[in-house]
Amino acid sequence: MLIGALLVSFLLSIFLTPFVGKLAFKLGATDKPNERKVHSKIMPRMGGLAIFLSFFITFLLFMNDFREQLPLLVGALVIILIGMADDIFELRAAPKFLGQVLAALIIVLWGGLEVEFINLPFFTDTLEFGVFSIPITILWIVSIINAINLIDGLDGLAGGVSTIALVTIATMALIKGDLFVAMVALIVIGSTLGFLKYNFHPAKIFMGDTGALFLGYIIAVLSLLGFKNVTMISLIVPIIILGVPISDTFFAIIRRVVNKQPISAADKSHLHHCLINLGFTHKQTVLLIYALAACFGLAAIIFSFATMWGALILVTGLLLIIEIFVEKIGLVNSNYQPLLKMLNFKNKP
């Protein structure tokens, strides 16, 4: 049944994507080249609609009682509508953000999805979030939505990184016996892989905000469904799974603070831009980031089986590796190298 859902969503996505591409042109949902873009011709976006339709149809076909999952579907529909509106009309930041919050509120208030507490490491006490549980859950969902959206800068990048994250979530869900999370993850994996046939370099269509927001929403919700109300160590698992987009977003904020720019300012200094500036080709950059995402996914699986001390050592090692990598490629700026300077890794003139 799981494999069947994966195959159906994959085939549906392959079938639907060309039609969505034609619809995007008719609606004016196109991406024009500019100084921040790496493509050189007008491209149809809104391709994420094909991912959503494939997911939605397969979900209805394979879920016995989908009425119980209406909050998930309605929240996804809200995200899709916001993404489509942005791809067609290029919305301002405020309505996009409000739409994301609305989708999060639907799954939290109607669907009852909340991170209510965590068990602290080395202590017997439980940290109850109380009145902050809903804001914390909404913050997580909105943050992951935007993290996926920020890495959508190269052909196939957001789709591939999201797929790797979903494969990790599905694997861990199967290990835990959570068939619902595994099923939803596999359906989205199939839908995204079918779309990647047209989106991998050289792309024929972009997923646009329609796809990036939807994938971010699904990943955020599934990660909470699989890992909520658990130990502090287990709560870190989804953060590791999403290490690439979260790191890119975090250092984008640091970069803008260091460079005295607005947090919401767009720039051409994200992870994929830095790698291309180092001389990697478009395809090499995407594959390298895929490899990084896969390493994070593997680390998350290992982390979930580690002892308390082993988990802490692993997290510390990951943080050090991330920091060194960031300083090496200049993700913040060329002068930001505190750890390299401290360790004398940088060659002196």
Side-chain angles (χ1 to χ4, degrees):
M1 188 172 179
L2 293 173
I3 300 301
L6 174 70
L7 290 175
V8 168
S9 61
F10 174 72
L11 293 173
L12 276 172
S13 185
I14 289 177
F15 173 75
L16 291 172
T17 299
F19 294 100
V20 169
K22 294 176 181 178
L23 178 64
F25 273 120
K26 289 183 179 179
L27 295 177
T30 56
D31 204 327
K32 300 175 178 63
N34 61 35
E35 66 278 0
R36 290 186 57 246
K37 306 291 177 63
V38 297
H39 60 281
S40 57
K41 63 179 181 179
I42 297 177
M43 296 285 291
R45 55 189 179 189
M46 205 178 77
L49 180 60
I51 298 176
F52 171 73
L53 291 174
S54 304
F55 158 77
F56 185 74
I57 294 170
T58 309
F59 191 96
L60 296 184
L61 288 173
F62 282 83
M63 290 297 177
N64 295 326
D65 189 0
F66 64 85
R67 289 172 295 181
E68 294 183 4
Q69 305 307 327
L70 277 178
L72 172 68
L73 296 177
V74 173
L77 181 60
V78 169
I79 279 292
I80 285 295
L81 292 175
I82 290 294
M84 289 177 64
D86 187 51
D87 286 337
I88 297 170
F89 304 110
E90 297 187 4
L91 300 178
R92 293 181 180 274
K96 285 175 61 177
F97 176 75
L98 290 175
Q100 294 167 19
V101 172
L102 175 59
L105 281 171
I106 289 170
I107 190 67
V108 170
L109 298 181
W110 183 13
L113 179 66
E114 290 181 53
V115 180
E116 298 174 347
F117 66 87
I118 54 173
N119 297 319
L120 298 173
F122 308 114
F123 296 95
T124 57
D125 295 335
T126 296
L127 177 61
E128 300 279 351
F129 292 129
V131 296
F132 296 105
S133 63
I134 290 177
I136 287 172
T137 308
I138 292 171
L139 177 63
W140 168 263
I141 294 172
V142 173
S143 297
I144 299 307
I145 288 172
N146 284 285
I148 298 299
N149 196 28
L150 279 175
I151 65 167
D152 185 25
L154 295 179
D155 297 352
L157 182 55
V161 170
S162 297
T163 298
I164 292 167
L166 287 164
V167 167
T168 307
I169 290 172
T171 301
M172 299 188 71
L174 288 172
I175 292 172
K176 294 176 60 180
D178 191 334
L179 294 182
F180 174 76
V181 170
M183 173 68 82
V184 175
L186 286 170
I187 291 173
V188 182
I189 288 168
S191 301
T192 309
L193 287 176
F195 175 75
L196 279 173
K197 178 181 184 298
Y198 305 94
N199 182 237
F200 195 74
H201 186 71
K204 299 180 180 66
I205 185 173
F206 295 155
M207 69 168 58
D209 274 22
T210 308
L213 299 186
F214 170 69
L215 289 175
Y217 168 80
I218 287 293
I219 290 171
V221 170
L222 290 184
S223 64
L224 288 184
L225 284 173
F227 306 104
K228 68 174 183 175
N229 296 340
V230 287
T231 64
M232 174 71 82
I233 294 301
S234 296
L235 192 64
I236 296 172
V237 169
I239 298 175
I240 298 176
I241 291 172
L242 296 164
V244 168
I246 287 177
S247 298
D248 194 28
T249 302
F250 174 77
F251 284 104
I253 294 171
I254 297 297
R255 178 172 63 252
R256 287 156 192 172
V257 170
V258 168
N259 297 333
K260 298 180 180 179
Q261 297 175 332
I263 298 296
S264 59
D267 60 27
K268 204 170 182 179
S269 300
H270 287 285
L271 174 60
H272 51 278
H273 295 125
C274 292
L275 292 174
I276 286 178
N277 291 337
L278 288 175
F280 291 100
T281 66
H282 189 126
K283 187 175 292 187
Q284 287 171 340
T285 297
V286 171
L287 293 176
L288 179 57
I289 297 177
Y290 282 3
L292 290 173
C295 288
F296 275 108
L298 180 60
I301 294 173
I302 295 172
F303 183 90
S304 66
F305 291 103
T307 62
M308 183 68 69
W309 284 108
L312 291 175
I313 292 170
L314 179 58
V315 167
T316 302
L318 278 174
L319 291 175
L320 287 173
I321 292 170
I322 291 169
E323 177 63 23
I324 291 172
F325 181 72
V326 164
E327 294 180 18
K328 278 284 189 181
I329 67 173
L331 192 57
V332 175
N333 61 43
S334 57
N335 296 319
Y336 176 81
Q337 294 183 326
L339 189 58
L340 288 177
K341 290 176 180 176
M342 183 179 71
L343 298 175
N344 292 321
F345 281 0
K346 185 176 180 181
N347 293 327
K348 296 181 180 180

